[in-house]
DNA sequence: TGTCCATTTAGTCTGTTGACGAAATAACGA
DNA sequence: TCGTTATTTCGTCAACAGACTAAATGGACA
């Protein structure tokens, strides 16, 4: 009960995890895509994703070497759905969230192989450069 | 934006603060009443209340030497109302929350002067004793 | 004015959290 | 099978959070 609610509320009490939840609204993403958008170390991102999954907010599936995460449709935690519903209706106009969305759009124009492969660092750098918002990668 | 949401989500990410929000649903309470129900040091409770107020979840009014807190109806933080609405619909059947409600009912039978005065410690002790749930103070 | 008492603030201590790099794991392709 | 690569786990470290005690604040009342 209170324990389940706490795992959800603690999950959304961190801005990085809120960013993850918001960037997954349009659909599932690979870990390397999420990592590129956030600009954090893979280990850090993995830990956040694991925590969100444990709280019942995310589901994941493996496809080859890639792992895709999506907003959960499970019933593990009864408090997850109402919280996800609430989040869907807010923060769309927040600057940080909006910038993430811009990066997401840019990332969707690049094949996963390119993003996660050799060109990874170069692309991620462009994604987070000062002129990143209007650069065309 | 994200900052305002974070102050709310961090507020509800602690079980003590969730207990406070739930015990204030029926109506306002004095700090000494909240302290008695929680069984924590007054300074600790005061800090939690201050944090909840800063997040826009609580309002307060002074009456003499007592300070009464209630669920906020202000518009300081746009994320406070939807979160309070969500909370109203959940956790009513949680054991901890239910026990707090029992203590609240018991406290409401005692005049504030008695609760905050000399008999304070004795009453609080009864409130938190093993047989406290069925004791009649 | 001075005392009493509810509440808040200040200071401290301990446990938790979020970041990282390095090492382990797992799956693909040669 | 072996190397490569995406992801996770492990170990570490600095920053934060929540608890307490002690001291400060502020209103009530003699």
């Amino acid at each position: 009960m209170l324990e389940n609610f706490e795992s959800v509320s603690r999950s959304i009490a961190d801005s990085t995890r809120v960013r993850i939840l918001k960037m997954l609204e349009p659909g599932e993403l690979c870990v390397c895509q999420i990592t590129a958008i956030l600009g954090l170390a893979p280990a850090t991102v993995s830990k956040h994703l694991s925590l969100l999954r444990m709280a019942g907010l995310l589901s994941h599936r493996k496809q080859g070497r890639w792992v895709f995460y999506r907003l959960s449709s499970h019933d593990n935690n009864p408090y997850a759905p109402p919280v996800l519903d609430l989040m869907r209706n807010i923060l769309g106009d927040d600057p940080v969230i909006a910038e993430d969305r811009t990066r997401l759009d840019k990332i969707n124009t690049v094949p996963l192989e390119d993003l996660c492969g050799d060109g990874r660092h170069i692309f991620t750098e462009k994604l987070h450069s000062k002129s990143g918002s209007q650069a065309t990668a």
Side-chain angles (χ1 to χ4, degrees), chain A:
Chain A
M1 293 279 160
L2 220 169
E3 193 176 302
N4 276 337
F5 179 74
E6 223 181 326
S7 75
V8 170
S9 58
R10 290 172 58 128
S11 290
I12 62 170
D14 174 85
S15 62
T16 299
R17 290 192 287 268
V18 170
R19 289 172 67 193
I20 291 173
L21 291 175
K22 292 300 288 182
M23 77 176 69
L24 286 174
E25 281 180 4
E28 68 178 11
L29 290 173
C30 170
V31 174
C32 67
Q33 294 175 303
I34 298 170
T35 301
I37 293 173
L38 291 173
L40 294 173
T44 304
V45 175
S46 176
K47 200 174 169 189
H48 282 306
L49 291 169
S50 173
L51 194 146
L52 286 165
R53 187 157 51 81
M54 288 299 121
L57 291 164
L58 296 186
S59 305
H60 72 316
R61 73 182 174 89
K62 286 188 174 183
Q63 181 179 307
R65 330 172 235 201
W66 294 316
V67 178
F68 289 86
Y69 279 85
R70 66 182 180 281
L71 298 185
S72 179
S73 48
H74 291 182
D75 289 337
N76 311 339
N77 192 328
Y79 303 111
V83 168
L84 287 175
D85 275 346
L86 170 62
M87 305 256 326
R88 255 183 273 268
N89 297 322
I90 61 175
L91 292 173
D93 52 348
D94 175 83
V96 176
I97 301 300
E99 196 173 359
D100 284 347
R101 186 60 60 94
T102 302
R103 294 197 189 104
L104 173 57
D105 293 340
K106 217 167 291 174
I107 274 182
N108 278 331
T109 67
V110 180
L112 263 184
E113 292 79 4
D114 294 353
L115 181 64
C116 298
D118 294 341
R120 179 178 25 149
H121 298 301
I122 297 163
F123 187 80
T124 300
E125 198 176 297
K126 276 187 185 168
L127 213 53
H128 288 268
S129 66
K130 303 248 178 3
S131 56
S133 294
Q134 58 269 21
T136 49

